[in-house]
Amino acid sequence: MRIYLAQLNPTVGDIAGNTARIAAAAGRALSAGADVAVFPELAIQGYPPRDLLENAAFVDAGIEALNRLARQTAGIDVVVGCVEKNPAPRGRALFNAAAVLRDGAVTAVARKSLLPTYDVFDEDRHFEPAARRDVHGLAGVPAAVTICEDAWTDREIFTRDLYTHDPVGELVGRGARLVINISASPFALGRRSLRERLMREHARRHDVPVVCVNQVGGNDELLFDGTSIVVDREGKTRARLGAFEEEERLVDLDDLPSPAGPGEMPRASEAFRALVMGTRDYVRKCGFTDVVIGLSGGIDSSVTAAIAAEALGAGRVTGVAMPARYSSEESLTDARELASRLGISLRVIPVDGLFQSTLEALAPEFGDRPPDTTEENLQARIRGNVLMALSNKFGWLVLTTGNKSELVVGYCTLYGDMSGGLAVISDVPKTLVYGIAELINEEREVIPRRIIDRPPSAELRPDQTDADSLPPYEVLDPILAKYVEQGLSASRIVADGHDPALVASVISLVDRNEYKRRQAAPGLRITTKAFGVGRRMPVAQGWREDLPA
């Protein structure tokens, strides 16, 4: 069998555009001599469609598009992800399905059995699980057509199996000699290798080749890495499509290429490529062309600007330096140098006059109360207002520059540095921000060395550094990872060797600042637990774990 892997980047809701691109790829597959063309999960609607699925017109448009697609792709078998209506009077109204198109018609439909309802997933909200699973013929070969989570069942890999049955094992037991898995598997650091390991285990255990075609691109905060693969019966990866880019490839299952090399990449490189892709897609799919970034001369805004320039082109990025009374001359110099090296536009808008007039207006109300974080936050909010004004006037999308370490402990200002349309590095721990900066500088010094070496500072009061308010990031980030991403208790984190008082303080900051994160711009997800839809914590709550004295 000659199978064509079409790793596409759909836009959620763009049914006409997605379908046109599927039809074009199927045409290329036919011209290349393929027997079967395989597309990702929900490729017609885009994943995740979320509550668009409650719109009857949206559902009907997808079904009409599927039937048109079938007529347009005669001459080749096509497996494509779609939404199907549930004709039964009970249960959810829809199925997450894979349609088999042949000879101008929909000849078979495989329905998703395992519907994830954890982390960023909420499929049980809309879809009914398959009541039965059937083997389908593809170019004369009996195949198990499965959808994403249907293959995420392996008791040797997962410490806790969430499901009571194994669709892949069941279908192979009923005679399938090929496993097709169409997928929209969200990216997280390390997830690509886990997914490949899972597919290799299915192939080895069941003695069948496995073809996994995964969606690529960014849809809102979720990123999809692609990395579609073909695995032989012995569990060896024989073909691997590119990460973070669209790709199509013809693979002959009867004459497989030599085993592919390792697919791992360094953590910083993986994060950078994911963020570039996610920024590009968010800006493009939301209808923007240009972005604006507050350039402080610090590491976070520098990395954000470099990501934006790589994603959109330097001509689409404007940096704005907004010096005030506590801004150092070095910061402005470094911001200018960064902009020059990136080739982006830089505007300098001093905000000290705005700050002073605001202080004077509030002086009668503040009276003789001493300065505190109120005055610091005023500066950040003035800068946020300047960026939003430029956004309104010129139609630019504001990219916020706060990292995960700051956002998680609330070291950020509502309606200030948090103001914007996309939080590019909000899921990037500060230590990884430095790693990405070093990566950006590998071939030439893009980010001035002084920005990387200088102690980080918000520059909102004299001689301020982050260390005045936070422990060193090398100490803070491991605690945050264990609490937020791994879900460990305070006592377990202490048992791992961390100072009890520090652990209690950090966890208190995390819990107290949920209200800020609830109001943050959407952020690009690159870890296993990001803020937003994947972490739904209550704001008003009273749980606190008591640590032994």
Side-chain angles (χ1 to χ4, degrees):
M1 177 192 290
R2 290 163 62 85
I3 193 161
Y4 195 84
L5 286 67
Q7 179 176 289
L8 299 187
N9 180 355
T11 298
V12 169
D14 184 12
I15 290 174
N18 295 340
T19 305
R21 298 178 70 219
I22 293 167
R28 291 189 290 272
L30 180 61
S31 298
D35 301 303
V36 181
V38 182
F39 296 86
E41 177 181 11
L42 293 185
I44 290 175
Q45 288 79 11
Y47 189 94
R50 296 193 170 129
D51 283 6
L52 282 174
L53 294 168
E54 297 183 3
N55 185 316
F58 174 78
V59 173
D60 289 342
I63 293 171
E64 292 169 6
L66 176 67
N67 290 324
R68 284 197 306 274
L69 182 65
R71 295 191 293 270
Q72 294 170 338
T73 56
I76 184 173
D77 285 6
V78 171
V79 178
V80 62
C82 62
V83 171
E84 182 196 24
K85 287 185 179 180
N86 180 6
R90 290 191 176 92
R92 303 286 189 269
L94 305 171
F95 291 107
N96 183 340
V100 178
L101 314 182
R102 181 182 299 126
D103 298 329
V106 179
T107 60
V109 175
R111 296 162 178 169
K112 191 171 184 177
S113 297
L114 308 182
L115 303 177
T117 48
Y118 57 86
D119 191 36
V120 299
F121 304 105
D122 201 9
E123 292 196 26
D124 189 56
R125 179 181 175 90
H126 301 290
F127 296 121
E128 181 72 7
R132 55 174 292 170
R133 286 152 291 282
D134 297 310
V135 176
H136 299 284
L138 292 175
V141 176
V145 178
T146 61
I147 305 173
C148 202
E149 191 84 356
D150 288 345
W152 285 73
T153 55
D154 190 303
R155 292 174 183 173
E156 294 181 10
I157 293 178
F158 301 111
T159 55
R160 182 179 182 87
D161 191 347
L162 298 178
Y163 305 105
T164 57
H165 58 281
D166 172 14
V168 173
E170 177 184 335
L171 290 168
V172 171
R174 294 172 60 187
R177 300 313 303 150
L178 167 67
V179 173
I180 301 283
N181 184 261
I182 66 169
S183 185
S185 176
F187 167 77
L189 292 168
R191 183 64 60 83
R192 294 186 312 120
S193 59
L194 173 61
R195 185 173 60 243
E196 183 163 330
R197 178 188 170 198
L198 183 64
M199 299 303 165
R200 292 174 65 176
E201 283 299 307
H202 279 305
R204 182 192 58 77
R205 180 178 300 112
H206 299 300
D207 190 33
V208 293
V210 173
V211 176
C212 174
V213 177
N214 187 37
Q215 175 175 297
V216 72
N219 284 322
D220 288 355
E221 70 273 37
L222 295 186
L223 309 180
F224 301 87
D225 58 90
T227 322
S228 303
I229 57 173
V230 176
V231 182
D232 68 17
R233 294 167 53 180
E234 297 177 353
K236 296 176 182 177
T237 301
R238 293 299 194 100
R240 183 187 301 112
L241 275 59
F244 311 112
E245 60 188 8
E246 286 192 304
E247 187 176 348
E248 299 170 19
R249 188 180 303 180
L250 180 68
V251 177
D252 189 339
L253 297 184
D254 299 316
D255 186 18
L256 288 169
S258 300
E264 293 86 2
M265 64 178 69
R267 180 179 171 89
S269 178
E270 191 175 36
F272 178 72
R273 292 187 60 189
L275 294 168
V276 167
M277 179 194 70
T279 300
R280 180 187 300 120
D281 277 356
Y282 190 87
V283 172
R284 175 177 62 86
K285 293 179 180 182
C286 288
F288 291 91
T289 59
D290 293 63
V291 299
V292 60
I293 304 168
L295 287 187
S296 66
I299 186 73
D300 296 320
S301 62
S302 298
V303 167
T304 302
I307 290 169
E310 180 71 17
L312 307 172
R316 298 293 184 184
V317 181
T318 297
V320 182
M322 294 168 281
R325 63 193 59 179
Y326 303 122
S327 303
S328 67
E329 186 60 36
E330 291 84 359
S331 292
L332 183 56
T333 299
D334 290 343
R336 291 184 190 277
E337 184 62 26
L338 173 75
S340 175
R341 295 180 185 184
L342 287 174
I344 67 174
S345 171
L346 178 68
R347 303 188 181 191
V348 179
I349 304 177
V351 296
D352 202 66
L354 293 170
F355 180 42
Q356 183 60 38
S357 62
T358 305
L359 290 176
E360 291 171 358
L362 290 170
E365 302 299 326
F366 289 176
D368 59 358
R369 291 174 180 260
D372 54 19
T373 55
T374 305
E375 287 73 17
E376 296 180 32
N377 290 337
L378 276 175
Q379 297 168 76
R381 289 179 177 132
I382 289 168
R383 290 180 171 122
N385 280 337
V386 169
L387 293 174
M388 291 307 302
L390 295 172
S391 172
N392 291 162
K393 186 63 68 175
F394 300 110
W396 299 337
L397 178 70
V398 178
L399 303 184
T400 70
T401 62
N403 63 69
K404 186 173 189 175
S405 306
E406 295 171 351
L407 190 63
V408 74
V409 297
Y411 192 61
C412 48
T413 303
L414 271 177
Y415 326 119
D417 57 303
M418 294 177 67
S419 294
L422 177 66
V424 174
I425 61 170
S426 64
D427 197 32
V428 184
K430 186 77 168 192
T431 48
L432 183 54
V433 172
Y434 281 102
I436 294 173
E438 297 289 3
L439 173 74
I440 292 167
N441 279 4
E442 267 189 352
E443 295 185 3
R444 66 181 182 93
E445 190 178 283
V446 176
I447 299 175
R449 190 73 229 173
R450 183 165 60 183
I451 290 178
I452 298 174
D453 293 340
R454 189 171 56 201
S457 170
E459 294 192 330
L460 298 175
R461 63 173 184 266
D463 303 318
Q464 183 183 26
T465 67
D466 291 6
D468 299 337
S469 304
L470 301 174
Y473 289 109
E474 294 78 9
V475 176
L476 176 64
D477 281 355
I479 296 174
L480 295 178
K482 290 175 182 179
Y483 185 60
V484 175
E485 295 171 21
Q486 300 175 35
L488 300 185
S489 66
S491 55
R492 170 64 188 278
I493 297 172
V494 170
D496 285 347
H498 297 279
D499 176 74
L502 179 59
V503 170
S505 174
V506 168
I507 288 178
S508 178
L509 287 172
V510 174
D511 293 344
R512 290 205 318 265
N513 283 284
E514 180 62 29
Y515 76 100
K516 285 189 180 181
R517 295 187 292 272
R518 190 70 65 86
Q519 300 177 68
L524 301 177
R525 175 186 185 267
I526 67 164
T527 72
T528 55
K529 186 64 66 174
F531 301 115
V533 295
R535 187 177 187 269
R536 310 174 198 186
M537 301 298 290
V539 174
Q541 56 103 352
W543 161 250
R544 297 289 183 273
E545 180 184 356
D546 293 327
L547 286 172

